[in-house]
Structure formats: structure tokens, C-alpha cells
Amino acid sequence: VRTVLETSMAGRAARQGQVRYEVVDIRDFSVDKHRTVDDTAYGGGAGMIMMAPPVVEAVEACRGREDATVILTSPQGETFDEDLTLELLADLEEKRELILVCGHYKGIDERARELVVTRELSVGDYVLSGGELPALVVTDAIVRRLEGVLHNEESAANDSFTARRDGGLDCEWFTKPPVYRGLEVPEVLLSGHHAKIEAWRNERAAGRTRQRRPDLVPDERDGDEPAGD
Ligand SMILES: C[S@@+](CC[C@H](N)C(=O)[O-])C[C@H]1O[C@@H](n2cnc3c(N)ncnc32)[C@H](O)[C@@H]1O
């Protein structure tokens, strides 16, 4: 986790002093010499459960304010998306802290969730072994949107799912060389005509959205007929 937080945009944000990451080992809050944080499930069944005391106490130890948002990574949470990214970005900017709890094994004792978790986020309908990767996904998505983190913020403004793309997908992009293995860059992109290029990109983005993610086309989201080509 620490290594990932030191690289790319997450690392850049920290080096620029815009964020500070604190990685807390829940085992430090275990009360036995083996640093145990899990036990068998009441009622039986396969799989271990993370005990409530170390989870709750780890959160309380790093929580700077009572009303801090404490996110439990869980396949049962709200699915993380662009809207949630912006909501949590605003939350981070306002409260100056955001806590992500990483589960393991079968998950955490339900009482820990009740006592300290304020919301649950999923990164998709599949099950991972632990919450570290989801926590890093959420962190990266939020931190890269902090002002001054990206080299060129304009480049993120028209990424997939942004308001500029009407919540749809981005268009395709090309760089040098102009011809590679017989494949040419679309002529309009070499024209230098900015208005035409912009119109072409918007059209391609809308077309891709219709083709690949019809669920993101505004008319379809509203339950109406899809927009024609
Ligand atoms: C093996 S999973 C537990 C799955 C849980 N028993 C269930 O079926 O809902 C262990 C941990 O990985 C994390 N995790 C797994 N899949 C995830 C997902 N899709 N989104 C977010 N976190 C996930 C959570 O922190 C979870 O507590």
C-alpha cells in the first residue's frame, strides 16, 4: 500500500504537500502477543472474521474529528463511480481527512461497522481477498482530482464519466507517428482546425458511449428511447 501511495499522482500529491497518507496496521491494536486480529465466526462456518476491538480502536486512533467519514471497503457497499469521487473529494476538502477501512477474511465483525463506519463502498460486483486494492482505487481516483495534482487538469476534464462528456465515455486518442503499420491517424486531427477537431471528438465520444455503454446515454438513463446515430 505504501509503495503505491508513493508513486504516480498519489505520490505527487503527497510530495507537493497536498495530502498526507497514514497507513495504519490494525495488528498494532491487537491485545495479544501474537498480534491476532481475527477469530472464528459465532454460529460456526468456514472463514475467519476480523474482531471488532482492533478495528474500532484503529479507527478511533487515527480519526482526528468525530464527524470524519469512515469508509468500509466492501462488495456490499455503494458502487464507486464518478459522482462518488466528486462527493468524497468535496468531503476531503471540507473535513481534511478521510478514513478507509480494509477488511480481510470473511470481513469485519458487524459491530465494528455499526460503531465506526459511516459509509460502505464497493469497487464492483466481484470479491477480492482484501480491502487494500479497493482503498487504493478510491484514493487514487480522489487525489488525482485535487487541484494542482495533474500536470494538465484540462486533460481530466474530458475523461470518461465527466460532465464534459455528459457522463459518457471519452473519445479515442492518437499521437505520433501519423502512420503506424499502415494505420493512419484520422485526417481531421492533423488539420489544425480546432473547432472541427473538437466536434469530431465529441461525436466520437458520444458514438462510443452509445455503442459500448448505452446505459450511460442520457435519454436511456431517463428511460426514454436511445438517441439515434
Ligand atoms: C473476501 S472479502 C469478504 C467478502 C464478504 N464476505 C462478502 O461476501 O460480502 C474480504 C474483504 O475484501 C474487501 N473487498 C472484497 N471485494 C471488494 C469489493 N468488490 N469492493 C470493495 N471491497 C472489497 C472488503 O474489505 C472485504 O471485507
Side-chain angles (χ1 to χ4, degrees):
V1 168
R2 288 194 178 91
T3 309
V4 175
L5 293 174
E6 281 167 13
T7 54
S8 194
M9 293 304 129
R12 186 174 147 91
R15 286 190 295 280
Q16 291 181 167
Q18 290 170 282
V19 283
R20 191 171 59 80
Y21 307 113
E22 197 180 338
V23 181
V24 175
D25 187 350
I26 291 175
R27 285 193 189 279
D28 292 345
F29 295 86
S30 162
V31 289
D32 72 5
K33 67 174 193 290
H34 302 295
R35 294 167 48 87
T36 309
V37 290
D38 59 305
D39 211 329
T40 52
Y42 277 123
M48 303 299 276
I49 316 298
M50 286 179 71
M51 301 154 86
V55 174
V56 169
E57 283 152 41
V59 169
E60 286 173 346
C62 63
R63 192 172 57 187
R65 49 188 292 170
E66 275 292 309
D67 66 348
T69 298
V70 179
I71 298 167
L72 172 65
T73 54
S74 160
Q76 300 176 27
E78 305 164 79
T79 306
F80 188 56
D81 63 4
E82 171 75 2
D83 287 348
L84 275 174
T85 304
L86 298 180
E87 202 182 308
L88 292 173
L89 174 67
D91 187 273
L92 175 65
E93 285 174 334
E94 186 203 327
K95 296 184 182 164
R96 321 295 295 172
E97 71 175 270
L98 203 54
I99 299 173
L100 290 147
V101 180
C102 305
H104 260 271
Y105 317 113
K106 285 291 284 175
I108 68 170
D109 186 305
E110 181 64 9
R111 292 164 297 179
R113 193 189 65 76
E114 264 178 46
L115 287 166
V116 290
V117 171
T118 63
R119 71 193 296 174
E120 289 178 59
L121 291 190
S122 164
V123 291
D125 288 350
Y126 45 83
V127 176
L128 297 163
S129 315
E132 290 81 1
L133 290 172
L136 289 171
V137 165
V138 171
T139 303
D140 185 89
I142 296 170
V143 165
R144 71 192 292 278
R145 303 297 280 275
L146 285 169
E147 218 181 307
V149 172
L150 293 177
H151 294 281
N152 183 353
E153 262 141 49
E154 177 59 20
S155 91
N158 58 13
D159 274 340
S160 297
F161 317 116
T162 55
R164 189 88 69 82
R165 291 284 178 230
D166 287 330
L169 304 182
D170 195 4
C171 60
E172 57 269 57
W173 294 85
F174 300 86
T175 185
K176 295 183 189 74
V179 183
Y180 178 63
R181 297 195 178 189
L183 297 174
E184 292 177 13
V185 170
E187 215 177 307
V188 62
L189 299 178
L190 308 173
S191 69
H193 194 301
H194 295 300
K196 276 191 186 158
I197 292 171
E198 194 53 22
W200 181 87
R201 286 180 172 155
N202 289 340
E203 179 46 41
R204 298 296 296 185
R208 283 200 153 194
T209 307
R210 281 195 298 271
Q211 191 186 34
R212 298 182 182 199
R213 292 291 303 273
D215 58 304
L216 297 178
V217 176
D219 285 343
E220 293 201 359
R221 274 198 306 239
D222 297 343
D224 297 339
E225 283 300 301
D229 269 295

